[in-house]
Amino acid sequence: QVQLVESGGGLVQAGGTLRLSCASSGRIFSINTMGWYRQAPGKQRELVASITTGGTSNYADSVKGRFTISRDNAKNTVYLQMNSLKPEDTAVYYCNLREGLSRLVSWGQGTQVTVSS
């Protein structure tokens, strides 16, 4: 079973930066996609960014040019560098891993990101 542990959330002023990390452990298929989702109160959980084992990344339009996703395949760890943060980025951010063969999905516990104006 895959476990995901997140870190790096916190409180930051608008225009500031945060770097989120998510370390995975357990029995993980070698081909997978890791990503970040976020959920604000009263809203659906939405994809922020994802990255495959091969390094192909995908971003939500709202974060393009500001956020950068990266990963360390050897450690199955994914990072999210968040620059030029806006109050609209305030949400609980969840780490996600989707296995390439079984399509099983694992989620982290979530970490709060709060951006003040």
Side-chain angles (χ1 to χ4, degrees):
Q1 185 176 3
V2 177
Q3 290 188 317
L4 304 173
V5 180
E6 301 159 326
S7 62
L11 174 65
V12 67
Q13 291 186 334
T17 66
L18 284 174
R19 180 177 170 86
L20 305 183
S21 299
C22 175
S24 62
S25 61
R27 308 178 79 175
I28 305 170
F29 189 64
S30 59
I31 300 175
N32 59 73
T33 298
M34 298 187 73
W36 292 94
Y37 287 70
R38 67 186 181 187
Q39 187 169 26
K43 296 184 178 180
Q44 294 288 105
R45 188 174 299 184
E46 64 175 356
L47 175 69
V48 178
S50 65
I51 185 168
T52 67
T53 310
T56 301
S57 59
N58 183 46
Y59 296 91
D61 289 340
S62 60
V63 306
K64 287 181 179 178
R66 299 188 298 121
F67 292 8
T68 302
I69 190 170
S70 61
R71 65 181 293 166
D72 183 334
N73 288 338
K75 299 179 179 179
N76 273 315
T77 299
V78 65
Y79 308 92
L80 186 67
Q81 179 68 42
M82 303 186 293
N83 300 328
S84 302
L85 282 162
K86 304 175 180 179
E88 306 93 271
D89 297 318
T90 296
V92 177
Y93 284 69
Y94 297 90
C95 180
N96 165 279
L97 185 150
R98 184 184 301 274
E99 297 188 37
L101 182 60
S102 68
R103 301 291 181 175
L104 291 175
V105 178
S106 299
W107 293 93
Q109 78 286 353
T111 184
Q112 178 70 47
V113 172
T114 303
V115 184
S116 62
S117 59

